[in-house]
Amino acid sequence: MIISTKFKALLSAVLLSSAGAVAAEESKDLAPEATASQAELSFRDIPLLENAFIDTAPADRNDGVLVGELGVDGGSKDGIVMLAREIANGQHGNYDSLLIAHKGKLLFESYYLRGRINLAHPQASATKAHTSLILGRAIQLGHLTMTDLDRPLIDFLPDLDRTNLAEGADKITLHKALTMHGGLSVSEEKWEELQENPAQLQGQGLVQALLEHTGPITEETQTYLYGNFNPILVMAVIDAVVPGTAEEFIKNEVLGKLGITNYSWSTHISGLPQAGWMVSMTSRDMLSWGSVVLNEGEWNGEQFVHADYLAKATSRLVKPAEEDWMPDSYRYGYFYYQTPIEVGEKSYDATFAWGGGGQRVIIVDELELTIVITGHDGDDKIMTQISNTVIPAFAE
């Protein structure tokens, strides 16, 4: 419920201020914005907010984001507001924003530390999931087919000279690359050496160099190995099959269609758009990616990403490699993670893009829920609070 009297507004502000936050449940003009000069700074140099911004009835900014009110249009308000206060007080790490959308409406919006409503935030490895949807967009537009996912990746790269490619180069498919099973074995020393001559790495030259300097690609090497050039291999295929360049395709057929204009998308040494990191966009724009997933690939009533591709991309295809930081329940699709979330006696499937430092776009299909998180936290354990507080607030 929106606080409607001066007394309640003052009381709420006092309570939140005591926890290092400022309530913003009445005013729609207080969302922190980066100045033009701040927007030019590196993310590490963005000054920290003196007070957090917490809003249970987000403002309509005429940016295409539908808004509503937490506790009225869905969700239980108290637990989420308490969690926001705890984040503001630094109890759960260094996070910059938490946004929650339910049934197509943004019901909760909060910013902390380096978070700003108009500031493009680094996505880290959540970029990989964006790359996955870009490929799904290419399939939807007919530049690839679903059967192409299992074809040799080199078949899409006509500029390759196959004379000196490593044994088994044809074993790398889009499916293998998208599930981190490409199987390349290029040493760090060799990669550093290759980068000393960027001219040879331009465009498909990157794939040429990697496939000439890797060891044999076998069933034994094609096991899950995070990163390992897999995302940029996918981007190389996108660049080869779409009209124009991958950069133009991303700008015009993906971000442009989603209404995303406030972003930064860096360029790989190959001249291709980055596919695994070094991309920034606002928290509200991150909601758009979540909306596409939640709506089975639809955007504004039209099929934006191929539905069959999206279903596969967000399914439990493989188990990530055993790591101390990787929960045992996590599975991997096409650059997307998936895990069950237990709420009482019921289990909800959560699909999410995940980047280091706390970047997440979490989709809980059964609850029609999208949760966006940004941060710069080394431990990045906020998923515990999402599982224990946010998702249960909409499962009641």
Side-chain angles (χ1 to χ4, degrees), residues 203-219:
Q204 295 178 35
L206 169 73
V207 184
Q208 182 82 45
L210 292 174
L211 291 180
E212 285 186 1
H213 293 93
T214 182
I217 297 165
T218 67
E219 192 172 312

mmCIF file of all heavy atoms in Angstrom, residues 203-219:
data_model
loop_
_atom_site.group_PDB
_atom_site.id
_atom_site.type_symbol
_atom_site.label_atom_id
_atom_site.label_comp_id
_atom_site.label_asym_id
_atom_site.label_seq_id
_atom_site.Cartn_x
_atom_site.Cartn_y
_atom_site.Cartn_z
ATOM 1 N N GLY A 203 37.544 -11.251 -37.492
ATOM 2 C CA GLY A 203 36.417 -12.021 -38.005
ATOM 3 C C GLY A 203 36.640 -13.512 -37.889
ATOM 4 O O GLY A 203 36.984 -14.038 -36.825
ATOM 5 N N GLN A 204 36.457 -14.220 -38.984
ATOM 6 C CA GLN A 204 36.625 -15.669 -38.981
ATOM 7 C C GLN A 204 38.078 -16.087 -38.787
ATOM 8 O O GLN A 204 38.370 -17.246 -38.495
ATOM 9 C CB GLN A 204 36.066 -16.254 -40.276
ATOM 10 C CG GLN A 204 34.564 -16.069 -40.407
ATOM 11 C CD GLN A 204 33.989 -16.594 -41.705
ATOM 12 O OE1 GLN A 204 34.443 -17.612 -42.241
ATOM 13 N NE2 GLN A 204 32.971 -15.918 -42.211
ATOM 14 N N GLY A 205 38.997 -15.106 -38.908
ATOM 15 C CA GLY A 205 40.401 -15.391 -38.629
ATOM 16 C C GLY A 205 40.614 -15.836 -37.198
ATOM 17 O O GLY A 205 41.539 -16.605 -36.901
ATOM 18 N N LEU A 206 39.749 -15.372 -36.286
ATOM 19 C CA LEU A 206 39.829 -15.816 -34.893
ATOM 20 C C LEU A 206 39.617 -17.321 -34.804
ATOM 21 O O LEU A 206 40.391 -18.036 -34.162
ATOM 22 C CB LEU A 206 38.770 -15.095 -34.056
ATOM 23 C CG LEU A 206 38.562 -15.657 -32.650
ATOM 24 C CD1 LEU A 206 39.739 -15.300 -31.759
ATOM 25 C CD2 LEU A 206 37.253 -15.179 -32.052
ATOM 26 N N VAL A 207 38.559 -17.807 -35.438
ATOM 27 C CA VAL A 207 38.258 -19.236 -35.396
ATOM 28 C C VAL A 207 39.357 -20.021 -36.099
ATOM 29 O O VAL A 207 39.754 -21.106 -35.649
ATOM 30 C CB VAL A 207 36.878 -19.518 -36.025
ATOM 31 C CG1 VAL A 207 36.524 -20.994 -35.901
ATOM 32 C CG2 VAL A 207 35.801 -18.656 -35.361
ATOM 33 N N GLN A 208 39.849 -19.476 -37.208
ATOM 34 C CA GLN A 208 40.956 -20.122 -37.922
ATOM 35 C C GLN A 208 42.137 -20.340 -36.986
ATOM 36 O O GLN A 208 42.697 -21.438 -36.900
ATOM 37 C CB GLN A 208 41.374 -19.248 -39.105
ATOM 38 C CG GLN A 208 42.484 -19.837 -39.962
ATOM 39 C CD GLN A 208 41.956 -20.853 -40.963
ATOM 40 O OE1 GLN A 208 40.952 -20.632 -41.629
ATOM 41 N NE2 GLN A 208 42.625 -21.994 -41.065
ATOM 42 N N ALA A 209 42.519 -19.274 -36.280
ATOM 43 C CA ALA A 209 43.680 -19.362 -35.391
ATOM 44 C C ALA A 209 43.447 -20.340 -34.253
ATOM 45 O O ALA A 209 44.324 -21.144 -33.909
ATOM 46 C CB ALA A 209 44.011 -17.977 -34.845
ATOM 47 N N LEU A 210 42.258 -20.297 -33.659
ATOM 48 C CA LEU A 210 41.965 -21.197 -32.541
ATOM 49 C C LEU A 210 41.991 -22.653 -32.986
ATOM 50 O O LEU A 210 42.533 -23.521 -32.287
ATOM 51 C CB LEU A 210 40.605 -20.854 -31.935
ATOM 52 C CG LEU A 210 40.488 -19.507 -31.214
ATOM 53 C CD1 LEU A 210 39.045 -19.257 -30.791
ATOM 54 C CD2 LEU A 210 41.413 -19.446 -30.002
ATOM 55 N N LEU A 211 41.410 -22.930 -34.132
ATOM 56 C CA LEU A 211 41.326 -24.317 -34.599
ATOM 57 C C LEU A 211 42.651 -24.835 -35.156
ATOM 58 O O LEU A 211 42.831 -26.039 -35.297
ATOM 59 C CB LEU A 211 40.228 -24.448 -35.653
ATOM 60 C CG LEU A 211 38.798 -24.275 -35.131
ATOM 61 C CD1 LEU A 211 37.790 -24.427 -36.256
ATOM 62 C CD2 LEU A 211 38.491 -25.257 -34.006
ATOM 63 N N GLU A 212 43.563 -23.931 -35.456
ATOM 64 C CA GLU A 212 44.892 -24.370 -35.878
ATOM 65 C C GLU A 212 45.821 -24.620 -34.701
ATOM 66 O O GLU A 212 46.772 -25.398 -34.807
ATOM 67 C CB GLU A 212 45.526 -23.326 -36.809
ATOM 68 C CG GLU A 212 44.944 -23.306 -38.214
ATOM 69 C CD GLU A 212 45.695 -22.356 -39.136
ATOM 70 O OE1 GLU A 212 46.676 -21.738 -38.680
ATOM 71 O OE2 GLU A 212 45.296 -22.248 -40.312
ATOM 72 N N HIS A 213 45.543 -23.964 -33.569
ATOM 73 C CA HIS A 213 46.467 -24.044 -32.440
ATOM 74 C C HIS A 213 45.907 -24.801 -31.242
ATOM 75 O O HIS A 213 46.510 -24.810 -30.169
ATOM 76 C CB HIS A 213 46.892 -22.631 -32.015
ATOM 77 C CG HIS A 213 47.736 -21.934 -33.048
ATOM 78 N ND1 HIS A 213 47.197 -21.103 -34.005
ATOM 79 C CD2 HIS A 213 49.067 -21.980 -33.295
ATOM 80 C CE1 HIS A 213 48.158 -20.642 -34.786
ATOM 81 N NE2 HIS A 213 49.306 -21.159 -34.378
ATOM 82 N N THR A 214 44.765 -25.426 -31.417
ATOM 83 C CA THR A 214 44.234 -26.284 -30.368
ATOM 84 C C THR A 214 44.756 -27.704 -30.572
ATOM 85 O O THR A 214 45.171 -28.080 -31.672
ATOM 86 C CB THR A 214 42.694 -26.292 -30.382
ATOM 87 O OG1 THR A 214 42.210 -27.113 -29.316
ATOM 88 C CG2 THR A 214 42.151 -26.844 -31.698
ATOM 89 N N GLY A 215 44.711 -28.468 -29.486
ATOM 90 C CA GLY A 215 44.995 -29.885 -29.622
ATOM 91 C C GLY A 215 43.817 -30.573 -30.284
ATOM 92 O O GLY A 215 42.782 -29.947 -30.570
ATOM 93 N N PRO A 216 43.906 -31.864 -30.547
ATOM 94 C CA PRO A 216 42.796 -32.605 -31.156
ATOM 95 C C PRO A 216 41.521 -32.462 -30.322
ATOM 96 O O PRO A 216 41.563 -32.435 -29.086
ATOM 97 C CB PRO A 216 43.292 -34.045 -31.161
ATOM 98 C CG PRO A 216 44.780 -33.928 -31.140
ATOM 99 C CD PRO A 216 45.083 -32.725 -30.314
ATOM 100 N N ILE A 217 40.398 -32.342 -31.008
ATOM 101 C CA ILE A 217 39.104 -32.223 -30.336
ATOM 102 C C ILE A 217 38.461 -33.602 -30.344
ATOM 103 O O ILE A 217 38.147 -34.154 -31.407
ATOM 104 C CB ILE A 217 38.229 -31.176 -31.044
ATOM 105 C CG1 ILE A 217 38.907 -29.808 -30.949
ATOM 106 C CG2 ILE A 217 36.842 -31.133 -30.430
ATOM 107 C CD1 ILE A 217 38.358 -28.779 -31.888
ATOM 108 N N THR A 218 38.282 -34.124 -29.159
ATOM 109 C CA THR A 218 37.804 -35.496 -29.009
ATOM 110 C C THR A 218 36.644 -35.530 -28.018
ATOM 111 O O THR A 218 36.293 -34.528 -27.394
ATOM 112 C CB THR A 218 38.924 -36.402 -28.488
ATOM 113 O OG1 THR A 218 39.256 -36.006 -27.145
ATOM 114 C CG2 THR A 218 40.178 -36.296 -29.365
ATOM 115 N N GLU A 219 36.102 -36.722 -27.872
ATOM 116 C CA GLU A 219 35.030 -36.913 -26.890
ATOM 117 C C GLU A 219 35.528 -36.583 -25.485
ATOM 118 O O GLU A 219 34.788 -36.064 -24.658
ATOM 119 C CB GLU A 219 34.547 -38.360 -26.958
ATOM 120 C CG GLU A 219 33.262 -38.622 -26.196
ATOM 121 C CD GLU A 219 32.726 -40.013 -26.448
ATOM 122 O OE1 GLU A 219 32.657 -40.417 -27.622
ATOM 123 O OE2 GLU A 219 32.391 -40.684 -25.450
#
